[in-house]
Amino acid sequence: MTNQNVVVSDAKGVAITVTVAAKQNMFSQSVPKPITEAGRGGGCFTIPMNIKVLNVDTEGGAARVNAWVDSLRASSPPRVKSAATPQSLSETVDNNSWSSRHPSAMSMFEQITNASKGKQIVMFLDYDGTLSPIVEDPDRAFMSNEMRRAVKAAAGYFPTAIVSGRCRDKVYSFVKLGELYYAGSHGMDIKGPSKSSKYKNGNQAVLFQPASEFVPMIDEVYKILLEKTRSISGARVEDNKFCLSVHFRCVDEKSWAALAEQVRLVLNEYPKLRLTQGRKVLEIRPTIKWDKGKALEFLLESLGYANSNEVLPVYIGDDRTDEDAFKVLRDRGQGFGILVSKVPKETNASYTLQEPAEVKDFLRRLVKWKRLSNQQK
């Protein structure tokens, strides 16, 4: 078996050198099947899975750090211009072109509901920036009571999952709805409803943690990064159990390079961890082939909808990490991705909503439509 170096990157992301074995089929592309145990009822069970790792080379010194900083700027969109700020003709044309390719989910609502006829809608929702506003202190990213009621109402008609980069316990403490599926740590920590569900396999509590073996390593890196970033004002390291988030929303842009350098130096010693990024956050994750897209497929299978034409998945999210789920839906030719954004972005989503308030309105409208449809049967 020989090794070869391959340079890969995600959309607008940082190119990284990956050492991979030249053996074919190193990874299984299939989604692990949920295990069911007769007579177990609502008990939790763990689904075993042997997942290989990639060796990520984070070396590269100043050139690599500069590339990271450029990518951080690219992933942090500028503030939306006020109505009083005139746009150039090219900006107006670009925005109109983007809007025509990714129209509002509210204006396309009838097309969405028409596509769901004879099918079960399954809702997948990101948390930060989708159900709650983006805030400077990640511990205060509370969802409103109105949003909670909208999500609860949606879950009454459609199987609903929260898919977040946050620790599963943390996002549950924000949402506080026991009838939902929760996929924390970018889908690496999945648990089914704590309340009984009327949907197919919904009354079986699923517990799936494909990165369990990395927990001691993640904890070790967390403690090191806390110490290494202490001198950088505004930097915050969040432990999400199976991954870490280094928030730089409150860090002066002049210090971004110093922060990226500290992260690089730490990750040099941990080749089984990789770096990705989102909105003003660096994400450190195990190098396993698992993401929000894989979590979406796993949850559909858990609900009994693997390779089914009787389901319409709808995934709503605002972050770069949600693109993995949008791409899965586009590749399947099934369901819709909805990007939450006020500014044009490169995306695999079909439709858009501007902000969490519009997400709430969309969920309410979907519930109202379903309720009326049921009454007419």
Side-chain angles (χ1 to χ4, degrees):
M1 182 182 299
T2 59
N3 290 338
Q4 57 183 349
N5 289 332
V6 181
V7 177
V8 299
S9 65
D10 58 6
K12 296 185 180 179
V14 182
I16 54 176
T17 302
V18 183
T19 303
V20 299
K23 181 179 178 182
Q24 291 184 340
N25 298 325
M26 183 175 181
F27 295 104
S28 170
Q29 296 299 315
S30 62
V31 177
K33 294 182 180 296
I35 295 175
T36 58
E37 298 181 59
R40 168 100 25 133
C44 294
F45 51 87
T46 301
I47 302 171
M49 180 181 181
N50 296 323
I51 300 178
K52 308 282 183 163
V53 298
L54 297 172
N55 294 320
V56 178
D57 174 17
T58 55
E59 298 179 359
R64 179 57 50 83
V65 170
N66 289 337
W68 281 5
V69 172
D70 288 342
S71 188
L72 296 183
R73 293 192 183 100
S75 68
S76 305
R79 296 180 185 272
V80 179
K81 293 183 179 180
S82 68
T85 304
Q87 288 186 315
S88 68
L89 178 60
S90 61
E91 286 178 319
T92 301
V93 170
D94 288 345
N95 288 346
N96 289 342
S97 174
W98 187 82
S99 296
S100 67
R101 286 181 285 114
H102 307 287
S104 166
M106 297 297 279
S107 65
M108 301 296 287
F109 187 81
E110 187 175 346
Q111 285 86 336
I112 294 172
T113 54
N114 285 341
S116 73
K117 290 181 179 179
K119 300 178 181 181
Q120 172 65 61
I121 293 177
V122 179
M123 296 297 306
F124 298 89
L125 304 168
D126 182 28
Y127 184 75
D128 293 276
T130 299
L131 299 182
S132 73
I134 296 292
V135 295
E136 291 187 353
D137 183 354
D139 287 338
R140 300 191 63 79
F142 303 120
M143 68 189 301
S144 67
N145 289 330
E146 291 81 3
M147 179 68 84
R148 184 174 293 103
R149 285 193 288 269
V151 174
K152 183 179 180 66
Y157 291 99
F158 321 110
T160 301
I162 307 296
V163 186
S164 171
R166 298 272 199 154
C167 167
R168 175 170 55 81
D169 291 340
K170 183 69 174 181
V171 77
Y172 181 85
S173 73
F174 283 140
V175 179
K176 300 176 182 177
L177 293 175
E179 56 266 51
L180 309 184
Y181 287 80
Y182 289 87
S185 301
H186 299 288
M188 290 182 286
D189 188 7
I190 301 176
K191 192 175 187 302
S194 56
K195 293 183 179 180
S196 62
S197 171
K198 62 184 178 181
Y199 305 106
K200 292 201 173 183
N201 295 335
N203 58 357
Q204 296 175 332
V206 177
L207 177 62
F208 180 53
Q209 299 173 332
S212 295
E213 64 182 281
F214 291 91
V215 170
M217 183 185 299
I218 293 290
D219 185 58
E220 183 177 314
V221 172
Y222 170 69
K223 293 173 182 176
I224 294 173
L225 282 174
L226 277 180
E227 184 62 33
K228 294 291 186 182
T229 63
R230 194 181 303 276
S231 62
I232 301 176
S233 178
R236 184 187 183 100
V237 185
E238 183 177 10
D239 185 356
N240 295 314
K241 189 172 181 178
F242 297 98
C243 60
L244 300 174
S245 297
V246 182
H247 299 274
F248 60 94
R249 181 167 298 278
C250 297
V251 175
D252 190 294
E253 188 171 337
K254 295 177 182 178
S255 299
W256 287 6
L259 179 63
E261 173 68 4
Q262 290 296 336
V263 173
R264 182 188 72 84
L265 290 174
V266 172
L267 290 188
N268 277 348
E269 306 301 319
Y270 295 89
K272 292 184 178 181
L273 299 178
R274 65 187 175 103
L275 180 72
T276 60
Q277 62 198 69
R279 295 175 63 181
K280 296 289 182 73
V281 62
L282 294 171
E283 306 280 6
I284 297 168
R285 295 191 254 174
T287 51
I288 62 173
K289 198 169 182 64
W290 198 262
D291 52 39
K292 289 184 176 181
K294 291 289 187 184
L296 180 151
E297 291 181 305
F298 174 82
L299 285 165
L300 286 177
E301 179 135 354
S302 298
L303 286 162
Y305 290 113
N307 304 315
S308 172
N309 293 321
E310 299 177 354
V311 64
L312 186 83
V314 176
Y315 188 109
I316 307 178
D318 76 306
D319 197 74
R320 172 174 287 175
T321 57
D322 298 310
E323 290 297 327
D324 294 316
F326 296 155
K327 186 175 186 301
V328 164
L329 295 182
R330 187 171 289 275
D331 290 347
R332 289 168 66 108
Q334 184 181 45
F336 302 106
I338 301 176
L339 174 68
V340 183
S341 178
K342 290 184 176 181
V343 296
K345 294 181 182 179
E346 184 178 344
T347 183
N348 285 298
S350 301
Y351 304 121
T352 59
L353 293 168
Q354 289 207 348
E355 57 190 353
E358 273 204 335
V359 174
K360 178 182 64 181
D361 292 342
F362 178 81
L363 293 177
R364 285 174 168 172
R365 188 173 177 184
L366 202 61
V367 167
K368 182 178 180 180
W369 163 81
K370 186 63 176 178
R371 185 184 298 123
L372 291 174
S373 298
N374 289 349
Q375 292 173 356
Q376 293 170 2
K377 288 182 180 180

